[in-house]
Amino acid sequence: MEIIDGKFVSEQIKNELKWKVNKLKECSIIPKLVIITLENNAATELYIRNKKRLFNELGICIEQKIVDVSIEMNGLLKIIEDLNKDNTVDGILIQSPVPDRFNINELFEKISFYKDVDGFNPINVGRISLEMNGYVPCTALGIMQLLKYYNISVKGKHAVVVGRSNIVGKPIARMLLQEDATVTICHSKTVNLKTYTKTADILIVAVGKEKLIQADMIKDNVIVIDVGINFTKEGKIVGDVDFENVKKKCSYITKVPGGVGPMTVVMLAKNTIDSANKRRLGV
Ligand code: NAD
C-alpha cells in the first residue's frame, strides 16, 4: 500500500507556480483573486484560511469580500459585475454556502467565464464537457494531477465516484471519462452502495460522511481517493473513508488531511495564475 501524498505533490506544483508568478511580476502583474463570502462556518473558515496562506506564500493577491447576509440579489450582482469589470481582478470565487434564497448557479453564471477560476460558470462546465479549453473545478483537477503524479493510468479501469455534486462528483466523473475510465456515479439514492464500490478499481468518495466507506465495501488493491472533510466531535478532521481499516486492502490511498485538500487550493492558485497570463498577456 502506498499513501498518495497530496501535501508533497502540492509542494512540487507550488515551485512551478512560484516561477510563473515571478515571470508575471517581471511584467508588473500580480495575479489577484477575490473571494465573496456570505455565510461562514468552521469548514469555510478553514478553506479560506488555507487559500490565504497559500496565496500569500506564492505572492498572489487574495482579497475576501465579506458581504452582509441580508444582501439582495441586485446588490450581489452589482458586486460581481464590478469585479468582472475590474482589470486587476483575475479570479472571482463565491464561497459556498450562500443563503437559500440565492440560486448559486445563477450567481456562478454572472461571473465572467474568463475569471471563473473555480470552473462553475455554465459556459466553463459546458466547454469542459465538450473537451474544449476552460477552467476545470479545482478539486477534480487536483485529483487528476495526483493520479498523474503517481503514474496511475485510469484508462480502461472501473472508476466509481460516490457523490454527484456539481462541485466534486460530476466534474471528476467527467474527467475520468475523458481519460477513458469506465465510470459509475453513486449518490444518496443509490440502492446498496456496496454492490458498486466492491467493483471499483478506483474509488473516489466525495460525500461528507465519516467512515461511509468500510473495508468490506472494497476489493483488494483498489485505489482510493478520499475527498470528504468531516469534523469529529473532538475537532479532528477526517475523510469519508474508514482509513485505518480500508488502507490495508488498497494499492494506493489518500489521507485526510494531507490528500486532496492541499491539491484543491494549489489548483485554485494555478487557475488564477493562468487567468492572469491569458487575460493580461494573452498567453
Ligand atoms: P454535497 O453535499 O454537495 O454532495 C454530497 C453528495 O454525496 C451528494 O451528491 C449526495 O447524493 C451524496 N451522498 C450523500 N449521502 C450518501 C450516501 N449515504 N451514499 C452515497 N452518496 C451519498 O458535497 P460536496 O460539495 O460534493 O462535498 C463532498 C465532501 O467533500 C464534503 O465533505 C466536502 O467538505 C468535501 N470537499 C472536499 C474538498 C477538498 O478539497 N478536499 C473540496 C470540496 C469538497
Side-chain angles (χ1 to χ4, degrees):
M1 185 275 301
E2 189 172 348
I3 301 279
I4 296 180
D5 188 342
K7 183 126 187 47
F8 175 78
V9 179
S10 67
E11 288 297 327
Q12 314 307 306
I13 298 172
K14 257 193 239 175
N15 291 333
E16 289 166 32
L17 296 184
K18 276 180 190 159
W19 184 85
K20 286 188 181 178
V21 172
N22 285 338
K23 283 275 152 213
L24 279 161
K25 281 187 179 161
E26 283 168 17
C27 305
S28 306
I29 295 167
I30 299 177
K32 178 171 171 181
L33 173 75
V34 177
I35 305 179
I36 301 173
T37 53
L38 285 111
E39 279 185 0
N40 261 3
N41 57 39
T44 54
E45 273 169 25
L46 172 78
Y47 299 153
I48 291 171
R49 205 167 47 241
N50 288 344
K51 283 167 192 163
K52 283 183 177 167
R53 191 182 305 132
L54 172 73
F55 277 54
N56 289 334
E57 187 187 335
L58 292 175
I60 309 176
C61 185
I62 181 163
E63 211 177 273
Q64 183 180 1
K65 218 171 193 28
I66 302 170
V67 178
D68 194 293
V69 281
S70 65
I71 195 166
E72 296 296 331
M73 185 68 169
N74 278 350
L76 199 47
L77 293 183
K78 170 85 172 66
I79 290 172
I80 296 172
E81 199 43 48
D82 288 347
L83 293 171
N84 282 341
K85 285 185 197 146
D86 184 342
N87 195 40
T88 67
V89 174
D90 300 292
I92 306 168
L93 182 157
I94 297 170
Q95 184 72 55
S96 52
V98 297
D100 286 345
R101 65 179 186 285
F102 294 113
N103 177 337
I104 198 156
N105 288 330
E106 280 178 16
L107 297 176
F108 291 147
E109 192 175 21
K110 299 298 175 200
I111 295 175
S112 156
F113 74 90
Y114 295 108
K115 299 188 179 188
D116 171 42
V117 289
D118 240 353
F120 298 145
N121 177 299
I123 294 179
N124 275 318
V125 176
R127 289 184 67 92
I128 294 302
S129 301
L130 297 171
E131 303 191 24
M132 296 166 73
N133 287 338
Y135 289 109
V136 176
C138 302
T139 304
L141 192 58
I143 293 170
M144 295 310 287
Q145 294 260 335
L146 274 181
L147 294 171
K148 196 167 147 202
Y149 191 90
Y150 283 85
N151 286 319
I152 298 169
S153 165
V154 307
K155 189 173 180 171
K157 296 214 171 87
H158 183 205
V160 174
V161 178
V162 187
R164 60 171 163 183
S165 72
N166 293 334
I167 290 177
V168 189
K170 283 181 199 148
I172 188 61
R174 270 198 299 272
M175 293 198 79
L176 290 161
L177 193 60
Q178 279 169 20
E179 295 293 326
D180 297 328
T182 301
V183 182
T184 300
I185 306 178
C186 299
H187 48 79
S188 56
K189 304 289 184 292
T190 297
V191 177
N192 201 353
L193 181 63
K194 188 174 161 179
T195 322
Y196 301 94
T197 55
K198 268 257 179 209
T199 64
D201 302 311
I202 301 174
L203 180 63
I204 315 253
V205 194
V207 171
K209 285 203 172 122
E210 189 183 339
K211 295 195 178 168
L212 176 73
I213 303 298
Q214 302 281 330
D216 67 344
M217 295 172 73
I218 54 165
K219 67 178 184 187
D220 285 334
N221 295 321
V222 61
I223 296 154
V224 174
I225 308 287
D226 189 354
V227 185
I229 298 176
N230 305 294
F231 294 85
T232 65
K233 279 185 238 110
E234 298 75 36
K236 219 178 125 199
I237 296 173
V238 296
D240 290 345
V241 172
D242 180 7
F243 181 80
E244 287 308 321
N245 293 312
V246 165
K247 74 175 183 192
K248 296 172 193 153
K249 289 176 84 176
C250 297
S251 55
Y252 292 91
I253 186 167
T254 57
K255 278 199 303 194
V256 180
V260 176
M263 293 299 290
T264 299
V265 270
V266 165
M267 290 302 114
L268 179 65
K270 178 192 176 297
N271 282 352
T272 306
I273 294 164
D274 285 353
S275 172
N277 268 311
K278 278 185 214 148
R279 292 181 49 260
R280 303 209 231 177
L281 296 176
V283 292

